[in-house]
Amino acid sequence: MKERGVGGAEPPCYTLINQPSDAEQPSEVQLRTDLEKGDLKTKTEALKKVIFMILSGEKLPGLLMTVIRFCLPLQDHTIKKLLLIYWEIVPKTSPDGKLLHEMILVCDSYRKDLQHPNEFIRGSTLRFLCKLHEPELLEPLMPSIIACLEHRHAYVRRNAVLAIFTIYKSFENLIPDAPELVSHFLEGEQDMACRRNAFLMLLQVDQPRALSYISSCLEQVGSFGDILQLVIVELIYKVCHHSPTERSKFIRCIYNLLNSNSSAVRYEAAGTLVTLSNAPSAIKAAATCYIELIIKESDNNVKLIVLERLSQLREVSVQEKVLEDLVMDILRILAAPDLEVRRKTLALALDLLTTRTVGEGVVFLRKEVGRTHNSIEHDETGKYRQLLVKTLHQCSVKFPEVASSIIPVLAEFLSDQNELAAMDVLLFMREGVQKFSNLVPTIVEKLLEVFPTIRSSKVLRSSIWILGEFVTEKEDVESVLSLVKQCLGELPLVESELRKAAGGEGEADPETKVKTKEEAEKPHVERSQGSRLVTSDGTYATQSAFSMQPLSAKDENVPSLRKILKDGDFFIGAALASSFSKMLRRLSEKKLGKESERNKMEAEVLYIIANIIRFGLSGIPVKSITPDDVERMKVCIRVVGEGNEKISNIFTVRCREALGGMLEEAAEYAATHSKMKKKKKTAVEPDDPIPFLQLLSKNDMVNGDDLFELSLSQAIGFSPKIDLIDFSASKLSKVTQLTGFSDPVYAEAYINVNQFDILLDVLIVNQTNDTLQNCTLELATLGDLKLVERPPSLVLGPHDFTNIRASIKVASTENGVIFGNIGEIF
């Protein structure tokens, strides 16, 4: 942030404190009285209010000496903690940039706190000194800060290292021997947090010393704490990138860190190992480490992050070949309960399967399918089963030799309650019978086995379609016809349903009926005696599932196809008629079996189709049959009865060709999209910017990800530090256009945010040939924003321009809107 005045940069603040919205703003006089004459509690509250007001933008210079006289000598820990926040945010310099004389007293207080016997006060003061940027205050304190490196308590020592680190980075002349001092401290220190801070400082300011230290204790790295090991991994990564010849020295250390007790260290070590070496053994060790992390970590977010990192190893062909040998270890991740983790794992394993490992992979997936089939059914289980079915489907398409071992397992899911998984199985079977002729007998046999147990309308309809398209033998047609009659129940449909409704033959034996009724009513005698029941807790009971039990039991005994028709789904009847038409026409064309047997089957099929049409028009089902379904079934009746060759060709040949064309198009689409995903982006898109090294600013090169460009810029003399001189680019990025370029008056604003103030510097340009009288910028705000002063009116000559400044006060962190208009008189 920049200060609004002529002075330099405003002192940075590292502390954010939430101020209550209903807090009152006391006067400076009241605060001075509380700080001077109040008790300890009153002084604490007054000091908090002073901090709130300074953070809100108030300067309060008159209270500085009051705080020094009446708060600084106190030994209360709460007061001392508040004073550290106060000294951080209070202005320490005069308007001309010189240090205030009062701060000399504060500096003496700092020195006493650095020598305080309480380690908390020492450590807190050292942490506070990390936030100071006044060398005049820091210089007298350097001996005390260095002395804290030998304090008996680790809390003080590690904060002393951090203080020396920050002071050395900002003001190297105050402690020029800091790297040597910290290096000696590191050699004799035993606390891991202190060693980590010291090593981090050497890593940032003196890499040769850090490298020398780590080289001397490579064998002991495994016994270090995790916080220190993480910094060591960072150092090895940087050193090996700048000096590739040093890789051989540190590879063994990285290998040892793969066995660290910390998951974070193992993750970073595996990533570093992959970047340092492309050897198969290194890739295998890193991938195995990733897999173990995914399996052992309980956080699903961590699992997904590491799994994504594992998937990125496939981008290099050498690494992909190593991962192919680990596909069975990757499948162990499926033990995780999260569905997204399982989905990514199955996708990765499918890409890594080869002809050598597909057999083991399919056996593992078959076991997983069986495990989900026997587990407790819930939503995640159904979705996971669907993922497994899709994966096995893709495996069979990619490796046809394993399809025969997959089909028997998947066929069991056709009767599953999860309709999505069953439909995926049918899609797999449909593609299998079309592409692999040797699988047709197996698939037809399995479909005939599970056909009576299928309860879903969509699954049953698709099964009928597959049977109608690929059943060609007379015995199989007879089996399909027998199963359909079994699933339809008693024929004719209308008469049997009417008899059941009237209590005729379709019902159970009368004695059994009476007995069942008596047994059902026996536990509920009280219910028949009155319309209301009082339960044991005094509430009224109502009719519930007890009265619905006999109805659900009766529905369970209804055959599947009959129940679907009663529910009003007659589209399955049209599919049934179409499938039988295809099967019978093939038998007639090939002249399979005796003519009398074929005629008998045709008569039975026509009888079934006619019954379905009559049942749909009778009004007994929940929904009546649609005209489209009736028309479709009538066409099928004509196909079966008349035997027209052109129509038969459509049913027996053209339908199969249409299926083949659809599957080929879907395969081409999938292949094209998979290539597009794998294809690396090498070309420059139409609107992409083209970076020229000579035209890049220093900041752009440092923030970029191109290590080659970065190293090249460093070699030719570019500094990686932030360029503070190049102010125009950052200022232009904060300019907001307020009017159009063709408007009579053009305006744009430069927005400068300064803590709780917003300063608008508005440039106004008269683009006309006339003089503008009383040109006024009118601003208004919405939200917790307040316009401090209204901009004055101006006179602009032809093609003249001027700057208008407006200050806006921000009262809260809520969103606000600043809007306005420009008025002028020609």
Side-chain angles (χ1 to χ4, degrees):
M1 298 181 183
K2 299 292 181 183
E3 196 173 349
R4 284 178 293 170
V6 185
E10 183 173 313
C13 176
Y14 302 90
T15 304
L16 298 178
I17 302 177
N18 180 32
Q19 181 178 5
S21 57
D22 56 348
E24 297 181 359
Q25 294 287 350
S27 63
E28 187 173 344
V29 176
Q30 179 65 36
L31 289 174
R32 182 181 289 105
T33 303
D34 292 342
L35 292 172
E36 291 178 356
K37 301 179 181 180
D39 56 7
L40 189 62
K41 186 177 180 181
T42 305
K43 289 183 179 181
T44 303
E45 294 299 323
L47 192 55
K48 288 181 181 180
K49 293 177 182 178
V50 171
I51 293 173
F52 281 137
M53 293 179 67
I54 294 177
L55 286 175
S56 300
E58 303 292 338
K59 299 300 181 183
L60 302 178
L63 292 179
L64 178 61
M65 201 60 202
T66 304
V67 172
I68 293 175
R69 290 176 57 198
F70 297 98
C71 293
L72 201 57
L74 298 177
Q75 296 299 317
D76 182 70
H77 286 192
T78 304
I79 292 288
K80 284 188 173 293
K81 188 174 182 180
L82 291 173
L83 281 174
L84 293 178
I85 301 174
Y86 175 76
W87 299 128
E88 177 187 345
I89 63 176
V90 72
K92 305 174 187 63
T93 56
S94 57
D96 58 356
K98 294 182 179 180
L99 190 69
L100 296 175
H101 297 292
E102 293 87 344
M103 297 308 295
I104 298 175
L105 301 174
V106 179
C107 182
D108 185 63
S109 175
Y110 292 159
R111 185 181 55 79
K112 291 179 180 179
D113 287 343
L114 289 175
Q115 298 171 355
H116 200 280
N118 187 290
E119 60 271 7
F120 169 75
I121 294 178
R122 279 204 188 194
S124 302
T125 306
L126 287 166
R127 290 183 67 86
F128 161 71
L129 295 179
C130 297
K131 307 173 184 179
L132 276 186
H133 284 77
E134 286 78 21
E136 298 89 346
L137 289 176
L138 292 171
E139 186 174 5
L141 303 176
M142 293 312 302
S144 300
I145 296 174
I146 296 173
C148 288
L149 289 175
E150 300 177 0
H151 193 270
R152 59 180 177 80
H153 205 284
Y155 177 70
V156 178
R157 296 199 302 272
R158 67 170 176 261
N159 284 301
V161 173
L162 284 180
I164 292 174
F165 180 25
T166 53
I167 293 171
Y168 181 79
K169 282 202 306 182
S170 301
F171 312 104
E172 185 176 344
N173 59 307
L174 294 182
I175 181 169
D177 59 340
E180 182 180 359
L181 185 67
V182 172
S183 178
H184 290 307
F185 169 80
L186 182 60
E187 292 175 359
E189 181 59 46
Q190 297 299 322
D191 183 76
M192 284 301 165
C194 297
R195 294 171 74 178
R196 180 257 180 193
N197 290 352
F199 190 80
L200 181 63
M201 174 183 170
L202 293 180
L203 173 64
Q204 299 292 333
V205 302
D206 195 348
Q207 279 195 15
R209 289 184 183 272
L211 192 59
S212 174
Y213 171 76
I214 195 62
S215 300
S216 63
C217 56
L218 276 177
E219 300 298 330
Q220 291 82 31
V221 169
S223 61
F224 291 170
D226 54 347
I227 55 175
L228 181 56
Q229 288 176 344
L230 284 172
V231 185
I232 291 174
V233 172
E234 181 183 355
L235 171 67
I236 293 175
Y237 177 81
K238 289 184 176 180
V239 168
C240 293
H241 262 288
H242 287 87
S243 303
T245 55
E246 300 284 343
R247 292 182 180 181
S248 58
K249 184 188 301 184
F250 297 106
I251 285 291
R252 184 179 177 183
C253 179
I254 294 294
Y255 267 107
N256 293 335
L257 290 177
L258 291 177
N259 301 319
S260 173
N261 295 327
S262 170
S263 300
V265 174
R266 281 184 286 159
Y267 174 76
E268 293 295 338
T272 303
L273 182 61
V274 170
T275 59
L276 298 183
S277 174
N278 284 327
S281 58
I283 303 302
K284 184 176 181 179
T288 305
C289 181
Y290 283 145
I291 294 170
E292 293 298 326
L293 282 174
I294 299 170
I295 294 174
K296 294 180 180 179
E297 281 295 321
S298 58
D299 191 345
N300 289 328
N301 293 323
V302 175
K303 289 178 182 287
L304 290 172
I305 291 171
V306 182
L307 189 58
E308 184 66 26
R309 195 69 175 267
L310 183 63
S311 301
Q312 291 175 358
L313 296 179
R314 295 190 306 107
E315 297 177 359
V316 182
S317 58
V318 177
Q319 299 175 359
E320 186 176 13
K321 292 180 180 179
V322 176
L323 289 179
E324 289 173 356
D325 296 333
L326 298 175
V327 66
M328 295 307 299
D329 293 329
I330 293 174
L331 287 175
R332 291 165 51 205
I333 303 174
L334 293 176
D338 185 68
L339 185 65
E340 187 63 27
V341 174
R342 289 171 165 176
R343 179 182 288 110
K344 289 183 176 294
T345 303
L346 287 173
L348 176 61
L350 182 63
D351 292 338
L352 296 175
L353 282 176
T354 61
T355 53
R356 186 163 44 87
T357 58
V358 66
E360 293 181 87
V362 168
V363 171
F364 185 91
L365 293 177
R366 286 171 56 186
K367 290 180 180 179
E368 280 293 304
V369 169
R371 191 171 63 84
T372 60
H373 195 63
N374 299 326
S375 62
I376 300 174
E377 189 69 32
H378 54 83
D379 186 46
E380 292 293 325
T381 304
K383 292 180 179 178
Y384 178 45
R385 187 181 302 137
Q386 186 182 359
L387 284 176
L388 290 172
V389 170
K390 287 183 177 179
T391 305
L392 287 171
H393 177 191
Q394 294 170 353
C395 280
S396 62
V397 174
K398 192 176 179 181
F399 307 98
E401 62 272 12
V402 300
S404 58
S405 62
I406 297 175
I407 291 173
V409 180
L410 297 186
E412 300 176 3
F413 289 99
L414 294 177
S415 57
D416 194 76
Q417 295 180 355
N418 186 2
E419 189 177 275
L420 296 176
M423 288 303 298
D424 287 334
V425 173
L426 284 173
L427 291 176
F428 162 56
M429 289 186 168
R430 183 186 68 181
E431 189 171 355
V433 293
Q434 174 66 20
K435 291 185 176 181
F436 315 117
S437 57
N438 60 314
L439 297 179
V440 173
T442 305
I443 294 177
V444 170
E445 179 185 355
K446 290 298 177 181
L447 280 177
L448 292 176
E449 285 181 8
V450 300
F451 190 86
T453 61
I454 300 175
R455 311 297 295 181
S456 171
S457 173
K458 291 183 179 179
V459 177
L460 192 61
R461 184 173 70 237
S462 301
S463 303
I464 292 171
W465 186 91
I466 293 176
L467 290 172
E469 193 65 47
F470 294 96
V471 167
T472 56
E473 300 297 329
K474 172 179 170 294
E475 292 77 9
D476 292 337
V477 176
E478 291 176 346
S479 300
V480 174
L481 184 58
S482 174
L483 289 173
V484 168
K485 290 193 292 185
Q486 177 185 339
C487 294
L488 280 174
E490 185 182 355
L491 295 176
L493 295 173
V494 176
E495 286 74 6
S496 61
E497 288 297 322
L498 291 176
R499 281 199 303 270
K500 288 181 181 180
E505 296 178 5
E507 293 239 348
D509 185 68
E511 296 181 2
T512 307
K513 176 185 173 186
V514 172
K515 183 177 179 182
T516 306
K517 184 176 180 181
E518 290 176 354
E519 291 177 352
E521 293 182 352
K522 188 174 181 180
H524 311 293
V525 177
E526 293 83 355
R527 190 190 312 183
S528 62
Q529 293 176 354
S531 58
R532 287 185 176 180
L533 292 177
V534 179
T535 60
S536 58
D537 60 352
T539 59
Y540 286 109
T542 58
Q543 284 186 337
S544 62
F546 292 111
S547 59
M548 301 300 294
Q549 200 78 10
L551 182 60
S552 62
K554 183 186 293 186
D555 288 344
E556 288 180 0
N557 296 327
V558 177
S560 57
L561 194 52
R562 190 187 195 97
K563 185 177 183 303
I564 292 171
L565 294 176
K566 287 176 68 175
D567 292 338
D569 186 0
F570 284 92
F571 187 39
I572 194 172
L576 188 66
S578 175
S579 299
F580 273 124
S581 301
K582 295 175 184 178
M583 289 186 286
L584 293 177
R585 292 316 305 159
R586 289 195 189 93
L587 291 181
S588 299
E589 291 176 357
K590 296 181 179 180
K591 300 187 182 302
L592 299 176
K594 297 179 182 179
E595 186 176 357
S596 58
E597 294 176 349
R598 295 199 302 270
N599 292 338
K600 181 181 178 182
M601 284 191 288
E602 290 178 357
E604 290 180 354
V605 168
L606 294 175
Y607 179 62
I608 292 172
I609 297 174
N611 264 282
I612 294 174
I613 295 176
R614 184 167 175 241
F615 184 64
L617 298 174
S618 64
I620 297 176
V622 178
K623 297 179 183 177
S624 299
I625 189 171
T626 62
D628 291 341
D629 293 334
V630 174
E631 186 65 26
R632 178 69 172 173
M633 284 189 272
K634 286 181 179 180
V635 170
C636 294
I637 290 175
R638 292 186 61 185
V639 171
V640 174
E642 297 179 0
N644 188 293
E645 291 185 3
K646 290 184 178 180
I647 299 179
S648 298
N649 183 64
I650 294 174
F651 273 74
T652 57
V653 179
R654 301 290 295 278
C655 288
R656 182 80 62 87
E657 293 176 354
L659 173 63
M662 184 193 72
L663 293 178
E664 288 178 3
E665 185 176 350
E668 291 177 1
Y669 179 83
T672 304
H673 277 255
S674 63
K675 288 181 180 178
M676 291 177 63
K677 288 181 180 179
K678 292 182 179 179
K679 185 179 179 181
K680 293 186 177 180
K681 182 179 178 182
T682 55
V684 179
E685 297 299 328
D687 293 328
D688 284 354
I690 302 175
F692 292 94
L693 184 62
Q694 291 79 4
L695 301 180
L696 287 177
S697 66
K698 301 172 187 178
N699 295 343
D700 294 336
M701 283 190 293
V702 172
N703 296 330
D705 296 330
D706 193 342
L707 291 176
F708 174 76
E709 295 290 340
L710 178 59
S711 60
L712 180 61
S713 63
Q714 292 174 345
I716 62 178
F718 279 94
S719 173
K721 296 183 179 179
I722 299 176
D723 187 6
L724 299 176
I725 302 175
D726 189 11
F727 179 71
S728 59
S730 62
K731 187 172 182 179
L732 289 174
S733 64
K734 297 179 182 179
V735 171
T736 302
Q737 183 178 340
L738 303 180
T739 62
F741 288 112
S742 60
D743 291 340
V745 178
Y746 172 75
E748 63 182 24
Y750 168 67
I751 303 172
N752 185 16
V753 180
N754 183 15
Q755 288 192 354
F756 290 90
D757 294 337
I758 298 177
L759 179 64
L760 297 181
D761 189 353
V762 184
L763 170 66
I764 297 179
V765 181
N766 178 13
Q767 300 191 120
T768 65
N769 296 323
D770 302 320
T771 300
L772 302 182
Q773 302 288 339
N774 293 329
C775 182
T776 308
L777 174 65
E778 298 286 345
L779 293 176
T781 60
L782 290 179
D784 292 335
L785 302 176
K786 180 181 178 182
L787 186 64
V788 177
E789 53 186 352
R790 190 177 301 277
S793 58
L794 303 169
V795 177
L796 285 178
H799 301 287
D800 194 6
F801 65 91
T802 187
N803 286 72
I804 299 178
R805 289 178 174 82
S807 182
I808 296 173
K809 196 77 169 178
V810 182
S812 72
T813 57
E814 299 295 328
N815 291 336
V817 180
I818 305 173
F819 61 96
N821 57 74
I822 298 175
E824 66 278 342
I825 300 176
F826 290 94

